[in-house]
Amino acid sequence: MSGNIELLSTTLAAVKAEDRAALIAYLPAGFPTVDGGIEAVKAVIAGGADVVEIGLPHSDPVLDGPVIQTADDIALRGGVRIADVMRTVREAYEATGVPILVMTYWNPIDRYGVERFTAELAEAGGAGCILPDLPVQESALWREHADKHGLATVFVVAPSSQDARLATITAAGSGFVYAASLMGVTGTRASVGAQAQELVGRTRATTELPVCVGLGVSNAEQAAEVAGFADGVIVGSAFVKAMLDAPDEAAGLDAVRSLAGELAQGVRKR
């Protein structure tokens, strides 16, 4: 079975045709439970998310701030496994038809086996992977199997990336480019800043791929600001915090659905 890179591409193209940015939501698998995590993905999609990233919980997440680390710890203590990540992708995709990607560090894929991981992700209906710590120069094996299985390879660029490096990264990627809005870890912030806009401009000069901005967006106003210069707005910590702060799972689902609705309005006010 082929993965859903084409669905991802057509979804982002359709959003662009509506003259707005895509809302891309991030939630970790297995949080607060595997079943609860699946329902949370369905809730953010019901609220208005166009694309969803499923985090593969990791014990040493270099890009993730304290909010996502807390959720990852809950998921890991609950015994989440890669099979649960694949189940989350499958059930969310089958229920909604929305493109679902996995965001993961390289070590779990390396240990699991690249061919096995890509084959299972494609079979589950996944659209691809975001790989924040896989260097492009070491990505040939991954890209070979991802291409074979119809999966996008999304690399992360940062404000520190030089123009020549940006060109190398974007030439190797597919689906979209993940532009980190600042140097640092994930988390909600008072301001997304001008660094992100400059990075998007420099990245666009190297590629036709959509450029989507993550790290720091937490409300409709920030979403509207980023939507003014980016093809997609990626929100993770704000959704996870809404779940963590909720008194129970039902309230958490209501909270992330409501937040997705507010952010979906924000990306339409570019």
Side-chain angles (χ1 to χ4, degrees), residues 112-144:
Y112 197 72
V114 176
E115 168 60 21
R116 180 184 177 195
F117 190 95
T118 52
E120 290 184 7
L121 182 56
E123 192 276 329
C129 254
I130 300 156
L131 301 161
D133 68 340
L134 177 62
V136 170
Q137 62 270 26
E138 297 174 20
S139 68
L141 179 65
W142 164 267
R143 287 187 285 132
E144 174 191 342

PDB file of all heavy atoms in Angstrom, residues 112-144:
ATOM      1  N   TYR A 112      14.027   0.366  14.978  1.00  0.00           N
ATOM      2  CA  TYR A 112      12.871  -0.398  14.500  1.00  0.00           C
ATOM      3  C   TYR A 112      13.127  -1.005  13.126  1.00  0.00           C
ATOM      4  O   TYR A 112      12.603  -2.063  12.797  1.00  0.00           O
ATOM      5  CB  TYR A 112      11.673   0.554  14.427  1.00  0.00           C
ATOM      6  CG  TYR A 112      10.311  -0.102  14.354  1.00  0.00           C
ATOM      7  CD1 TYR A 112       9.765  -0.748  15.462  1.00  0.00           C
ATOM      8  CD2 TYR A 112       9.549  -0.035  13.188  1.00  0.00           C
ATOM      9  CE1 TYR A 112       8.505  -1.315  15.411  1.00  0.00           C
ATOM     10  CE2 TYR A 112       8.284  -0.598  13.125  1.00  0.00           C
ATOM     11  CZ  TYR A 112       7.770  -1.236  14.244  1.00  0.00           C
ATOM     12  OH  TYR A 112       6.520  -1.792  14.176  1.00  0.00           O
ATOM     13  N   GLY A 113      13.913  -0.279  12.312  1.00  0.00           N
ATOM     14  CA  GLY A 113      14.188  -0.696  10.939  1.00  0.00           C
ATOM     15  C   GLY A 113      13.482   0.221   9.962  1.00  0.00           C
ATOM     16  O   GLY A 113      12.257   0.383  10.026  1.00  0.00           O
ATOM     17  N   VAL A 114      14.254   0.844   9.079  1.00  0.00           N
ATOM     18  CA  VAL A 114      13.692   1.839   8.164  1.00  0.00           C
ATOM     19  C   VAL A 114      12.639   1.231   7.246  1.00  0.00           C
ATOM     20  O   VAL A 114      11.557   1.793   7.062  1.00  0.00           O
ATOM     21  CB  VAL A 114      14.814   2.503   7.334  1.00  0.00           C
ATOM     22  CG1 VAL A 114      14.226   3.469   6.313  1.00  0.00           C
ATOM     23  CG2 VAL A 114      15.789   3.227   8.241  1.00  0.00           C
ATOM     24  N   GLU A 115      12.937   0.085   6.670  1.00  0.00           N
ATOM     25  CA  GLU A 115      11.981  -0.536   5.758  1.00  0.00           C
ATOM     26  C   GLU A 115      10.689  -0.912   6.486  1.00  0.00           C
ATOM     27  O   GLU A 115       9.585  -0.647   5.999  1.00  0.00           O
ATOM     28  CB  GLU A 115      12.599  -1.779   5.109  1.00  0.00           C
ATOM     29  CG  GLU A 115      11.613  -2.673   4.361  1.00  0.00           C
ATOM     30  CD  GLU A 115      10.889  -1.974   3.207  1.00  0.00           C
ATOM     31  OE1 GLU A 115      11.382  -0.949   2.698  1.00  0.00           O
ATOM     32  OE2 GLU A 115       9.803  -2.465   2.824  1.00  0.00           O
ATOM     33  N   ARG A 116      10.838  -1.471   7.663  1.00  0.00           N
ATOM     34  CA  ARG A 116       9.661  -1.866   8.443  1.00  0.00           C
ATOM     35  C   ARG A 116       8.825  -0.640   8.815  1.00  0.00           C
ATOM     36  O   ARG A 116       7.592  -0.650   8.686  1.00  0.00           O
ATOM     37  CB  ARG A 116      10.126  -2.605   9.703  1.00  0.00           C
ATOM     38  CG  ARG A 116       9.003  -3.088  10.616  1.00  0.00           C
ATOM     39  CD  ARG A 116       9.618  -3.704  11.866  1.00  0.00           C
ATOM     40  NE  ARG A 116       8.604  -4.132  12.817  1.00  0.00           N
ATOM     41  CZ  ARG A 116       8.872  -4.438  14.097  1.00  0.00           C
ATOM     42  NH1 ARG A 116      10.120  -4.368  14.549  1.00  0.00           N
ATOM     43  NH2 ARG A 116       7.900  -4.801  14.914  1.00  0.00           N
ATOM     44  N   PHE A 117       9.503   0.420   9.273  1.00  0.00           N
ATOM     45  CA  PHE A 117       8.783   1.618   9.710  1.00  0.00           C
ATOM     46  C   PHE A 117       8.033   2.256   8.549  1.00  0.00           C
ATOM     47  O   PHE A 117       6.846   2.595   8.667  1.00  0.00           O
ATOM     48  CB  PHE A 117       9.767   2.621  10.329  1.00  0.00           C
ATOM     49  CG  PHE A 117       9.101   3.779  11.013  1.00  0.00           C
ATOM     50  CD1 PHE A 117       8.854   3.753  12.374  1.00  0.00           C
ATOM     51  CD2 PHE A 117       8.725   4.913  10.303  1.00  0.00           C
ATOM     52  CE1 PHE A 117       8.236   4.821  13.023  1.00  0.00           C
ATOM     53  CE2 PHE A 117       8.107   5.985  10.925  1.00  0.00           C
ATOM     54  CZ  PHE A 117       7.861   5.931  12.286  1.00  0.00           C
ATOM     55  N   THR A 118       8.707   2.443   7.416  1.00  0.00           N
ATOM     56  CA  THR A 118       8.066   3.107   6.279  1.00  0.00           C
ATOM     57  C   THR A 118       6.927   2.265   5.721  1.00  0.00           C
ATOM     58  O   THR A 118       5.876   2.799   5.367  1.00  0.00           O
ATOM     59  CB  THR A 118       9.084   3.429   5.164  1.00  0.00           C
ATOM     60  OG1 THR A 118       9.824   2.247   4.837  1.00  0.00           O
ATOM     61  CG2 THR A 118      10.037   4.530   5.600  1.00  0.00           C
ATOM     62  N   ALA A 119       7.119   0.959   5.659  1.00  0.00           N
ATOM     63  CA  ALA A 119       6.065   0.082   5.143  1.00  0.00           C
ATOM     64  C   ALA A 119       4.832   0.131   6.037  1.00  0.00           C
ATOM     65  O   ALA A 119       3.697   0.219   5.553  1.00  0.00           O
ATOM     66  CB  ALA A 119       6.579  -1.353   5.023  1.00  0.00           C
ATOM     67  N   GLU A 120       5.043   0.103   7.347  1.00  0.00           N
ATOM     68  CA  GLU A 120       3.911   0.115   8.278  1.00  0.00           C
ATOM     69  C   GLU A 120       3.214   1.482   8.283  1.00  0.00           C
ATOM     70  O   GLU A 120       1.983   1.553   8.380  1.00  0.00           O
ATOM     71  CB  GLU A 120       4.379  -0.257   9.690  1.00  0.00           C
ATOM     72  CG  GLU A 120       4.773  -1.722   9.811  1.00  0.00           C
ATOM     73  CD  GLU A 120       5.146  -2.114  11.235  1.00  0.00           C
ATOM     74  OE1 GLU A 120       4.981  -1.291  12.168  1.00  0.00           O
ATOM     75  OE2 GLU A 120       5.607  -3.260  11.419  1.00  0.00           O
ATOM     76  N   LEU A 121       3.991   2.562   8.170  1.00  0.00           N
ATOM     77  CA  LEU A 121       3.385   3.886   8.154  1.00  0.00           C
ATOM     78  C   LEU A 121       2.537   4.071   6.898  1.00  0.00           C
ATOM     79  O   LEU A 121       1.425   4.613   6.960  1.00  0.00           O
ATOM     80  CB  LEU A 121       4.461   4.969   8.247  1.00  0.00           C
ATOM     81  CG  LEU A 121       3.977   6.417   8.280  1.00  0.00           C
ATOM     82  CD1 LEU A 121       2.996   6.659   9.425  1.00  0.00           C
ATOM     83  CD2 LEU A 121       5.154   7.383   8.384  1.00  0.00           C
ATOM     84  N   ALA A 122       3.039   3.609   5.772  1.00  0.00           N
ATOM     85  CA  ALA A 122       2.267   3.693   4.530  1.00  0.00           C
ATOM     86  C   ALA A 122       1.006   2.854   4.626  1.00  0.00           C
ATOM     87  O   ALA A 122      -0.090   3.288   4.222  1.00  0.00           O
ATOM     88  CB  ALA A 122       3.129   3.242   3.353  1.00  0.00           C
ATOM     89  N   GLU A 123       1.129   1.653   5.171  1.00  0.00           N
ATOM     90  CA  GLU A 123      -0.022   0.757   5.293  1.00  0.00           C
ATOM     91  C   GLU A 123      -1.088   1.357   6.208  1.00  0.00           C
ATOM     92  O   GLU A 123      -2.286   1.142   6.012  1.00  0.00           O
ATOM     93  CB  GLU A 123       0.445  -0.609   5.826  1.00  0.00           C
ATOM     94  CG  GLU A 123      -0.582  -1.715   5.727  1.00  0.00           C
ATOM     95  CD  GLU A 123      -1.557  -1.736   6.902  1.00  0.00           C
ATOM     96  OE1 GLU A 123      -1.137  -1.337   8.006  1.00  0.00           O
ATOM     97  OE2 GLU A 123      -2.722  -2.150   6.708  1.00  0.00           O
ATOM     98  N   ALA A 124      -0.649   2.147   7.198  1.00  0.00           N
ATOM     99  CA  ALA A 124      -1.587   2.790   8.126  1.00  0.00           C
ATOM    100  C   ALA A 124      -2.260   4.018   7.513  1.00  0.00           C
ATOM    101  O   ALA A 124      -3.155   4.601   8.128  1.00  0.00           O
ATOM    102  CB  ALA A 124      -0.855   3.188   9.408  1.00  0.00           C
ATOM    103  N   GLY A 125      -1.818   4.408   6.323  1.00  0.00           N
ATOM    104  CA  GLY A 125      -2.395   5.588   5.687  1.00  0.00           C
ATOM    105  C   GLY A 125      -1.648   6.871   5.984  1.00  0.00           C
ATOM    106  O   GLY A 125      -2.141   7.969   5.697  1.00  0.00           O
ATOM    107  N   GLY A 126      -0.447   6.754   6.557  1.00  0.00           N
ATOM    108  CA  GLY A 126       0.337   7.941   6.885  1.00  0.00           C
ATOM    109  C   GLY A 126       0.773   8.701   5.644  1.00  0.00           C
ATOM    110  O   GLY A 126       0.914   8.130   4.558  1.00  0.00           O
ATOM    111  N   ALA A 127       0.997  10.012   5.827  1.00  0.00           N
ATOM    112  CA  ALA A 127       1.411  10.862   4.706  1.00  0.00           C
ATOM    113  C   ALA A 127       2.908  11.110   4.691  1.00  0.00           C
ATOM    114  O   ALA A 127       3.429  11.597   3.690  1.00  0.00           O
ATOM    115  CB  ALA A 127       0.674  12.199   4.778  1.00  0.00           C
ATOM    116  N   GLY A 128       3.603  10.815   5.782  1.00  0.00           N
ATOM    117  CA  GLY A 128       5.037  11.036   5.805  1.00  0.00           C
ATOM    118  C   GLY A 128       5.569  11.220   7.206  1.00  0.00           C
ATOM    119  O   GLY A 128       4.883  10.928   8.190  1.00  0.00           O
ATOM    120  N   CYS A 129       6.802  11.707   7.278  1.00  0.00           N
ATOM    121  CA  CYS A 129       7.495  11.894   8.556  1.00  0.00           C
ATOM    122  C   CYS A 129       8.197  13.233   8.607  1.00  0.00           C
ATOM    123  O   CYS A 129       8.744  13.699   7.606  1.00  0.00           O
ATOM    124  CB  CYS A 129       8.548  10.806   8.743  1.00  0.00           C
ATOM    125  SG  CYS A 129       8.121   9.555   9.947  1.00  0.00           S
ATOM    126  N   ILE A 130       8.195  13.834   9.788  1.00  0.00           N
ATOM    127  CA  ILE A 130       9.010  15.005  10.084  1.00  0.00           C
ATOM    128  C   ILE A 130      10.171  14.498  10.940  1.00  0.00           C
ATOM    129  O   ILE A 130       9.953  13.845  11.973  1.00  0.00           O
ATOM    130  CB  ILE A 130       8.202  16.072  10.840  1.00  0.00           C
ATOM    131  CG1 ILE A 130       7.020  16.518   9.980  1.00  0.00           C
ATOM    132  CG2 ILE A 130       9.074  17.257  11.204  1.00  0.00           C
ATOM    133  CD1 ILE A 130       5.882  17.079  10.764  1.00  0.00           C
ATOM    134  N   LEU A 131      11.388  14.790  10.494  1.00  0.00           N
ATOM    135  CA  LEU A 131      12.573  14.196  11.105  1.00  0.00           C
ATOM    136  C   LEU A 131      13.526  15.306  11.547  1.00  0.00           C
ATOM    137  O   LEU A 131      14.444  15.680  10.821  1.00  0.00           O
ATOM    138  CB  LEU A 131      13.258  13.269  10.090  1.00  0.00           C
ATOM    139  CG  LEU A 131      12.360  12.134   9.581  1.00  0.00           C
ATOM    140  CD1 LEU A 131      12.901  11.555   8.282  1.00  0.00           C
ATOM    141  CD2 LEU A 131      12.241  11.042  10.641  1.00  0.00           C
ATOM    142  N   PRO A 132      13.328  15.856  12.750  1.00  0.00           N
ATOM    143  CA  PRO A 132      14.078  17.052  13.155  1.00  0.00           C
ATOM    144  C   PRO A 132      15.562  16.847  13.384  1.00  0.00           C
ATOM    145  O   PRO A 132      16.325  17.815  13.323  1.00  0.00           O
ATOM    146  CB  PRO A 132      13.376  17.490  14.445  1.00  0.00           C
ATOM    147  CG  PRO A 132      12.699  16.273  14.960  1.00  0.00           C
ATOM    148  CD  PRO A 132      12.308  15.481  13.748  1.00  0.00           C
ATOM    149  N   ASP A 133      15.993  15.611  13.649  1.00  0.00           N
ATOM    150  CA  ASP A 133      17.407  15.416  13.968  1.00  0.00           C
ATOM    151  C   ASP A 133      18.129  14.520  12.967  1.00  0.00           C
ATOM    152  O   ASP A 133      19.253  14.085  13.233  1.00  0.00           O
ATOM    153  CB  ASP A 133      17.567  14.870  15.389  1.00  0.00           C
ATOM    154  CG  ASP A 133      17.036  13.447  15.553  1.00  0.00           C
ATOM    155  OD1 ASP A 133      16.213  13.010  14.703  1.00  0.00           O
ATOM    156  OD2 ASP A 133      17.425  12.765  16.527  1.00  0.00           O
ATOM    157  N   LEU A 134      17.516  14.260  11.806  1.00  0.00           N
ATOM    158  CA  LEU A 134      18.184  13.460  10.786  1.00  0.00           C
ATOM    159  C   LEU A 134      18.920  14.395   9.820  1.00  0.00           C
ATOM    160  O   LEU A 134      18.280  15.125   9.057  1.00  0.00           O
ATOM    161  CB  LEU A 134      17.181  12.598  10.023  1.00  0.00           C
ATOM    162  CG  LEU A 134      17.756  11.758   8.868  1.00  0.00           C
ATOM    163  CD1 LEU A 134      18.776  10.745   9.397  1.00  0.00           C
ATOM    164  CD2 LEU A 134      16.649  11.061   8.088  1.00  0.00           C
ATOM    165  N   PRO A 135      20.262  14.387   9.814  1.00  0.00           N
ATOM    166  CA  PRO A 135      20.992  15.250   8.871  1.00  0.00           C
ATOM    167  C   PRO A 135      20.701  14.830   7.430  1.00  0.00           C
ATOM    168  O   PRO A 135      20.628  13.635   7.123  1.00  0.00           O
ATOM    169  CB  PRO A 135      22.466  14.998   9.236  1.00  0.00           C
ATOM    170  CG  PRO A 135      22.443  14.413  10.617  1.00  0.00           C
ATOM    171  CD  PRO A 135      21.169  13.635  10.696  1.00  0.00           C
ATOM    172  N   VAL A 136      20.531  15.807   6.563  1.00  0.00           N
ATOM    173  CA  VAL A 136      20.232  15.510   5.159  1.00  0.00           C
ATOM    174  C   VAL A 136      21.288  14.594   4.556  1.00  0.00           C
ATOM    175  O   VAL A 136      20.966  13.656   3.819  1.00  0.00           O
ATOM    176  CB  VAL A 136      20.122  16.817   4.352  1.00  0.00           C
ATOM    177  CG1 VAL A 136      20.046  16.529   2.860  1.00  0.00           C
ATOM    178  CG2 VAL A 136      18.904  17.600   4.788  1.00  0.00           C
ATOM    179  N   GLN A 137      22.558  14.832   4.890  1.00  0.00           N
ATOM    180  CA  GLN A 137      23.632  14.045   4.289  1.00  0.00           C
ATOM    181  C   GLN A 137      23.624  12.587   4.750  1.00  0.00           C
ATOM    182  O   GLN A 137      24.322  11.761   4.166  1.00  0.00           O
ATOM    183  CB  GLN A 137      25.001  14.687   4.558  1.00  0.00           C
ATOM    184  CG  GLN A 137      25.395  14.798   6.023  1.00  0.00           C
ATOM    185  CD  GLN A 137      24.944  16.102   6.660  1.00  0.00           C
ATOM    186  OE1 GLN A 137      23.973  16.714   6.221  1.00  0.00           O
ATOM    187  NE2 GLN A 137      25.668  16.541   7.686  1.00  0.00           N
ATOM    188  N   GLU A 138      22.846  12.282   5.775  1.00  0.00           N
ATOM    189  CA  GLU A 138      22.743  10.898   6.257  1.00  0.00           C
ATOM    190  C   GLU A 138      21.345  10.317   6.004  1.00  0.00           C
ATOM    191  O   GLU A 138      20.978   9.297   6.581  1.00  0.00           O
ATOM    192  CB  GLU A 138      23.056  10.854   7.759  1.00  0.00           C
ATOM    193  CG  GLU A 138      24.482  11.282   8.092  1.00  0.00           C
ATOM    194  CD  GLU A 138      24.748  11.368   9.583  1.00  0.00           C
ATOM    195  OE1 GLU A 138      23.983  10.749  10.358  1.00  0.00           O
ATOM    196  OE2 GLU A 138      25.706  12.050   9.980  1.00  0.00           O
ATOM    197  N   SER A 139      20.578  10.964   5.121  1.00  0.00           N
ATOM    198  CA  SER A 139      19.166  10.592   4.962  1.00  0.00           C
ATOM    199  C   SER A 139      18.853   9.734   3.747  1.00  0.00           C
ATOM    200  O   SER A 139      17.701   9.439   3.493  1.00  0.00           O
ATOM    201  CB  SER A 139      18.315  11.873   4.887  1.00  0.00           C
ATOM    202  OG  SER A 139      18.596  12.585   3.681  1.00  0.00           O
ATOM    203  N   ALA A 140      19.864   9.316   2.989  1.00  0.00           N
ATOM    204  CA  ALA A 140      19.612   8.618   1.722  1.00  0.00           C
ATOM    205  C   ALA A 140      18.793   7.346   1.925  1.00  0.00           C
ATOM    206  O   ALA A 140      17.853   7.068   1.152  1.00  0.00           O
ATOM    207  CB  ALA A 140      20.923   8.304   1.022  1.00  0.00           C
ATOM    208  N   LEU A 141      19.132   6.550   2.928  1.00  0.00           N
ATOM    209  CA  LEU A 141      18.408   5.297   3.163  1.00  0.00           C
ATOM    210  C   LEU A 141      16.945   5.579   3.493  1.00  0.00           C
ATOM    211  O   LEU A 141      16.038   4.949   2.942  1.00  0.00           O
ATOM    212  CB  LEU A 141      19.055   4.511   4.306  1.00  0.00           C
ATOM    213  CG  LEU A 141      18.357   3.191   4.665  1.00  0.00           C
ATOM    214  CD1 LEU A 141      18.435   2.207   3.510  1.00  0.00           C
ATOM    215  CD2 LEU A 141      18.976   2.594   5.938  1.00  0.00           C
ATOM    216  N   TRP A 142      16.704   6.553   4.384  1.00  0.00           N
ATOM    217  CA  TRP A 142      15.334   6.914   4.714  1.00  0.00           C
ATOM    218  C   TRP A 142      14.571   7.363   3.473  1.00  0.00           C
ATOM    219  O   TRP A 142      13.466   6.900   3.212  1.00  0.00           O
ATOM    220  CB  TRP A 142      15.281   8.009   5.776  1.00  0.00           C
ATOM    221  CG  TRP A 142      13.903   8.629   5.812  1.00  0.00           C
ATOM    222  CD1 TRP A 142      13.489   9.745   5.132  1.00  0.00           C
ATOM    223  CD2 TRP A 142      12.746   8.099   6.454  1.00  0.00           C
ATOM    224  NE1 TRP A 142      12.148   9.959   5.332  1.00  0.00           N
ATOM    225  CE2 TRP A 142      11.657   8.952   6.134  1.00  0.00           C
ATOM    226  CE3 TRP A 142      12.514   6.994   7.271  1.00  0.00           C
ATOM    227  CZ2 TRP A 142      10.376   8.743   6.608  1.00  0.00           C
ATOM    228  CZ3 TRP A 142      11.218   6.784   7.751  1.00  0.00           C
ATOM    229  CH2 TRP A 142      10.170   7.646   7.421  1.00  0.00           C
ATOM    230  N   ARG A 143      15.159   8.262   2.712  1.00  0.00           N
ATOM    231  CA  ARG A 143      14.458   8.825   1.556  1.00  0.00           C
ATOM    232  C   ARG A 143      14.159   7.768   0.501  1.00  0.00           C
ATOM    233  O   ARG A 143      13.107   7.795  -0.137  1.00  0.00           O
ATOM    234  CB  ARG A 143      15.267   9.985   0.971  1.00  0.00           C
ATOM    235  CG  ARG A 143      15.214  11.240   1.838  1.00  0.00           C
ATOM    236  CD  ARG A 143      15.868  12.423   1.178  1.00  0.00           C
ATOM    237  NE  ARG A 143      17.310  12.343   1.182  1.00  0.00           N
ATOM    238  CZ  ARG A 143      18.083  12.543   0.139  1.00  0.00           C
ATOM    239  NH1 ARG A 143      17.545  12.805  -1.047  1.00  0.00           N
ATOM    240  NH2 ARG A 143      19.391  12.488   0.247  1.00  0.00           N
ATOM    241  N   GLU A 144      15.075   6.821   0.343  1.00  0.00           N
ATOM    242  CA  GLU A 144      14.836   5.726  -0.602  1.00  0.00           C
ATOM    243  C   GLU A 144      13.567   4.960  -0.238  1.00  0.00           C
ATOM    244  O   GLU A 144      12.706   4.697  -1.089  1.00  0.00           O
ATOM    245  CB  GLU A 144      16.041   4.781  -0.606  1.00  0.00           C
ATOM    246  CG  GLU A 144      15.851   3.518  -1.444  1.00  0.00           C
ATOM    247  CD  GLU A 144      16.942   2.485  -1.205  1.00  0.00           C
ATOM    248  OE1 GLU A 144      18.022   2.853  -0.676  1.00  0.00           O
ATOM    249  OE2 GLU A 144      16.707   1.313  -1.529  1.00  0.00           O
TER     250      GLU A 144
END
